[in-house]
Amino acid sequence: MSQRLPTRIGGTRWLGHVQTALKSLWKGYKAFATHLSQVALKRSGQSATQSKAKYLVKLLRSKDVIIFAHFLTDLVGFLTQFSMCLQKRATCFYEVHQELQCTIANIKKLENRPGPELRKIVDAGDQFGGETLIGNDLSSDQIKRVLKGLTDSLEGRFSDVNDGVKNATKIADLTSWPASLEEATDFGDEMVQTLVDHYRQQLLEKELDVGLIESEWTVLRNVLYNNHRVHGLSWSTVNDLYISRVPNILSLVDLVLSLPAGTSECERGFSQMKIIKSQWRNKLKSSSMTLLMTIQLNSESVAEWNPGKSIFHWNRNAKRRPCFMESRKRPVSIQREILELDEQEESEETAEEAEGERGEKEHSDLDDSDYTSDFSDLDDDSCDSEEYD
């Protein structure tokens, strides 16, 4: 059996890859350590291979490395959850506010309280996965330094999320509204004004009455607080109930809900375009390409798709013959069975014809013998009569 060593042990910028690598490490830690130990001790004539194996075994048995890797597992879990929220197709921009605040709160919480993965290794002491860990513990200052740097990076990356139009998108988050109408006397007035000023041209192109939007916002806010529990509502319900009463402000809210949280949808579009327009289909027209990408990007997943409506629509709009091809194109096995049956019937018919011919021949021979016997009797009688005469 050939010896296997990891060809790449460096980092990657994709959080999903890091999380998968850490989970695989903890799942096969004992096997990795045992295999690398055997490679390091075995004289294979390749000093580079042995040196690399010894270095990797040293890392796997270093206490500070294992502790930091468990700490990294907890940290990457929070970041991956935030990243997945930004990548979801249904995520609106206003949801970034909530997810960012929750992620930063969870990261700061790790400064004073270790996460579930880190607690496992701390409680285990110097033993982990059947191996004895060597070295010192990871200092809390190192953990705090990493957490502070990450928090500053997130806050710097999303520094403008609370400014201007981005902050005004909070009106679409019903869970962030004040608890009562008394607390929400002027809630959203400045946000609506900011959104109207920014999207005035788009709103006018849709033939909306921009002058009524701010007054309709006041009406909508009072109606929702007086007749509903705001934090339990959804905008689809609000649209069904009040679209005829306050159409302009609800159109503005629809515009806010359509704002994406990131560029993941654009990346999906480029990825689908590469899959559709391959080397063998490089002459697709732009119109066909647009239709195919629209189907790929807007269709439901196979697991969630219900084909019943499509089948009903397909059968209803024209006269269909779903079994037509089955009658013309039969499977090979059925064709073989039919041929065998035809050959069997032909052989039976041939045997019946041969037997019938044989019976007819025997019957004709029997008739000829009776006829000659009758004539022979007649001749004898005639002879006797002549002799009598």
Side-chain angles (χ1 to χ4, degrees), residues 92-111:
C92 301
F93 189 84
Y94 71 86
E95 297 181 62
V96 177
H97 301 276
Q98 289 184 349
E99 292 296 330
L100 179 62
Q101 293 176 359
C102 294
T103 303
I104 293 177
N106 285 325
I107 292 174
K108 291 182 177 180
K109 187 178 178 181
L110 294 177
E111 296 180 1

